[in-house]
Each structure stands twice: as structure tokens, then as C-alpha cells.
Amino acid sequence: MQIRGSGPRPLPNSRISAVMFAMFASMASLYVAGRLWQDAQSRVYLIKELDRRTGQGQSAISVDETLKLVDCRQQHKKLAALEMELVVARNKGFVGQYSSETNGTNFSRKRLLVVIGIATGFERKKQRDAVRKSWLATGAAMKKLELEKGVVARFVIGRSANRGDSADREIDNENWKTNDFIILDNHVEASEEQPKKTKLFLAHAAEAWDAEFYAKINDDVYVNIDALGTMLAAHLDKPRAYIGCMKSGEVFSDKSQKWFEPEWWKFGDGKSYFRHASGEMFVVSRALAKFISINRAILRTYAHDDVSVGSWMIGLNVQHINEGKLCCSSWSSGAVCAAV
């Protein structure tokens, strides 16, 4: 009979429960340790393989191997989160069940390596066809490139000032056949509007695709996809990377000059641009593309798209990476791009 005011007697199986919890915690620890060891071994192998191949002067590891590095990093984040949950569980005296979603991040979804926007115009069909015949996969091969390589590439174009005219219809018909366009419906296609077009592409791409990097190129540039993948793999640990063939260059105040800059007076007495990546091809990391997407309404554009992008990087904690392989004017061994 229980005495009033006294606490309940300990259950006879309480010691057994404590032993069971301790045993489960030990088993979970061994499991996590094993997973971490396997992950560490895989990462060490991939890093050594990358160092070995690049040290021997080989042009690239494949995009498949590059994506293994991406997967490794995502797996490392998952296991780190598992370790943290295990510590909390131990403090509570038991081991909980780990969810594939931690802090709102779904680790089961594979992130793309890069989204490439190819700036083109209404009268540039011959250049687009040349790109399709050289490096840009089409049809089923395009889907395979996206699914297996993690590379998305699309031509980027706006709309005609005379909305719905023959120029618009021709692009719509071409896209119906090839399905390889990003058509910016709210942008009027014009040479002087190229900076705004580049901004809208980066904003659209960051919203439409989850990728490690976003690249802009011209439609007269040849791209070596495997070499691009290798180069980007070397910068996966840089969350705010701005990559390209860096230059400065003269600011032209004379309206008769081809590269006239209406805002020339903002660049001081020296009339030299700040450091920026050449417009033939440049790459920004996911965080920077997201920044552009969020702030597109207030980001100032200048006469040239590459200068405009460079201006957005000033004042941010961005790593400017001068990558000679993105100097597309000349072709060399291991180069990523070349003007054609």
C-alpha cells in the first residue's frame, strides 16, 4: 500500500531502460564514426586525385568527378548535422531519429554545378546554330547533360520593342523546336540594354535553378565543358566567388568612341574602370547570384554589362578571382573558352 505523500516507487525495469539507452547511444556512435570515416576517405581520395591530375598538367578531371566533390561536400554537411543531433540526444539520455531535412535544407536533392546563360540577339541564328553544332548539347543530350553532369545552358534573349512582331515569332518558333532559350518577357532586346539583360538573366537563373555557380557568355564563344567543371571545382570552397579574366581599362568620355561611357564623370580624374571580369565570359557563385536577384531593382547599370556586374561587387565581401582560362580571346591548353 502506498503511503500518502510519498513518491512512486522506482519501476523494476528502469535500470534496464537506462542500459538499453546507453547501448543504443554506443551503437549510434559507432555508426556515425564509421560513416564519417568512409566520407573522409572518399574526400581524401578525390582531393588527392584532383591535385595529382592538375599537378601533372592534365587539362581537367571530368564533370562527373567534379560533381563527386560537390556531393562529398553536401554529405559532409549532412554528417556534421548528424553529429550535432547525436550530442543533443546523448545529453537527453537517448538517441533520436535523424531526419533527411535539417534546418530546412533537403540534402537528398542534388545541386547543379553551373547554369550558363548565352547572350544572343534576333539576328544571331547562325551563331546559335554554330554553338549547337559545337559544344552545346541539344535534344536528349541536353537533358543528359543536365541530369548527369549538372550543367544547364540556355540562350538568353528579350522581346522585340514591337511586341509580337516577326522577330518575336521567329524566336518562339526556334525555341519550340530546340527548347534551349530563356526568353525574358519583360526585357526589350537592344544593344544598349545588355547590362539590364545580364542582370535579369542572373536574377532569373538564381530563382529557377539551384546551382553552385552561374555563368554568362556571348554567343560567339566556344566553351570546354569539362575544363569549366575542373576550374569551378577548385573554387567550390569560396561562397562569394567572382571569377573571370579581370581587367580595368580606360573610361571613354567622347561620344564618338565605340565604348563611350555616359557616366564617365563618376570614375574620377584617372578615368579608369574598377577591376571587373571581361564580358566574354564570367562566373559568379550562388550567394552572389542570389544577391543580384534580391537587389535587382536597385542595382545600377553602366554602359557595359561587365562593368555593371563589377560595380555590384564593390563594397561586398567578394573574392575577385583572376582566371586566365576565362580570357576567351585566345585559345591555349586547358582553356575554358575561346572566341570563334
Side-chain angles (χ1 to χ4, degrees):
M1 177 178 179
Q2 181 175 323
I3 300 174
R4 182 174 298 178
S6 64
R9 296 179 181 179
L11 295 175
N13 63 348
S14 61
R15 292 184 179 179
I16 297 176
S17 298
V19 171
M20 291 293 290
F21 281 134
M23 182 180 68
F24 289 151
S26 299
M27 292 174 64
S29 299
L30 291 173
Y31 170 76
V32 171
R35 290 289 299 275
L36 288 172
W37 182 85
Q38 292 177 357
D39 180 61
Q41 292 297 311
S42 297
R43 285 186 286 113
V44 167
Y45 167 75
L46 289 170
I47 292 170
K48 285 183 177 180
E49 186 68 8
L50 178 62
D51 291 341
R52 180 182 70 81
R53 296 194 183 191
T54 55
Q56 292 177 353
Q58 296 184 16
S59 62
I61 60 174
S62 69
V63 173
D64 286 334
E65 291 170 302
T66 299
L67 289 176
K68 289 179 183 179
L69 289 173
V70 177
D71 290 338
C72 249
R73 293 179 188 278
Q74 292 176 343
Q75 184 71 1
H76 178 69
K77 292 178 182 178
K78 179 178 178 180
L79 291 173
L82 180 58
E83 278 190 300
M84 292 178 65
E85 185 169 334
L86 182 58
V87 170
V88 174
R90 283 173 176 167
N91 292 336
K92 292 181 179 180
F94 64 92
V95 177
Q97 183 177 3
Y98 180 75
S99 172
S100 63
E101 295 187 4
T102 302
N103 295 328
T105 302
N106 188 349
F107 292 101
S108 63
R109 181 180 178 183
K110 181 182 290 187
R111 180 173 291 167
L112 294 167
L113 178 62
V114 61
V115 176
I116 305 172
I118 310 166
T120 191
F122 290 126
E123 306 298 327
R124 306 282 293 179
K125 188 176 185 304
K126 289 183 178 179
Q127 285 76 12
R128 291 192 293 273
D129 287 341
V131 169
R132 293 179 182 117
K133 292 177 181 178
S134 56
W135 66 269
L136 179 61
T138 59
M142 180 175 68
K143 288 298 182 183
K144 184 176 181 180
L145 182 67
E146 296 174 12
L147 295 174
E148 298 183 5
K149 307 289 187 179
V151 176
V152 170
R154 296 288 190 275
F155 292 104
V156 183
I157 196 167
R159 287 298 190 182
S160 171
N162 302 313
R163 187 64 178 261
D165 64 7
S166 60
D168 276 346
R169 292 195 299 272
E170 287 175 5
I171 290 296
D172 288 335
N173 290 335
E174 185 178 344
N175 188 39
W176 181 80
K177 296 175 182 177
T178 60
N179 194 30
D180 56 4
F181 278 87
I182 294 174
I183 300 177
L184 302 173
D185 285 319
N186 296 325
H187 176 72
V188 176
E189 189 67 28
S191 58
E192 65 272 16
E193 297 296 331
Q194 182 63 39
K196 293 180 181 178
K197 178 178 175 179
T198 298
K199 179 171 64 173
L200 290 176
F201 156 67
L202 291 171
H204 171 84
E207 293 173 357
W209 290 282
D210 184 22
E212 297 287 345
F213 298 98
Y214 300 82
K216 175 264 172 183
I217 67 170
N218 294 334
D219 63 5
D220 57 355
V221 170
Y222 172 87
V223 178
N224 183 329
I225 292 294
D226 280 335
L228 176 63
T230 300
M231 185 208 71
L232 294 178
H235 303 300
L236 284 170
D237 60 340
K238 303 176 181 68
R240 293 178 295 277
Y242 172 40
I243 313 169
C245 182
M246 295 293 170
K247 63 179 184 178
S248 294
E250 181 182 355
V251 179
F252 293 99
S253 57
D254 186 349
K255 291 184 178 180
S256 64
Q257 293 283 349
K258 178 181 179 180
W259 305 113
F260 169 64
E261 173 58 72
E263 306 268 3
W264 59 267
W265 58 273
K266 289 185 177 180
F267 296 92
D269 296 334
K271 292 184 181 179
S272 292
Y273 285 119
F274 37 74
R275 205 70 169 162
H276 62 278
S278 169
E280 288 180 315
M281 182 172 188
F282 64 81
V283 182
V284 297
S285 61
R286 179 172 176 268
L288 298 183
K290 290 289 186 182
F291 170 83
I292 294 170
S293 177
I294 293 169
N295 297 283
R296 58 187 154 186
I298 59 173
L299 291 176
R300 182 74 173 83
T301 57
Y302 292 94
H304 315 297
D305 67 328
D306 52 358
V307 172
S308 299
V309 174
S311 73
W312 306 335
M313 303 297 108
I314 295 178
L316 301 179
N317 186 16
V318 171
Q319 187 167 356
H320 288 62
I321 300 171
N322 184 24
E323 180 54 75
K325 293 178 180 179
L326 291 181
C327 297
C328 306
S329 58
S330 60
W331 185 260
S332 60
S333 177
V336 170
C337 60
V340 294

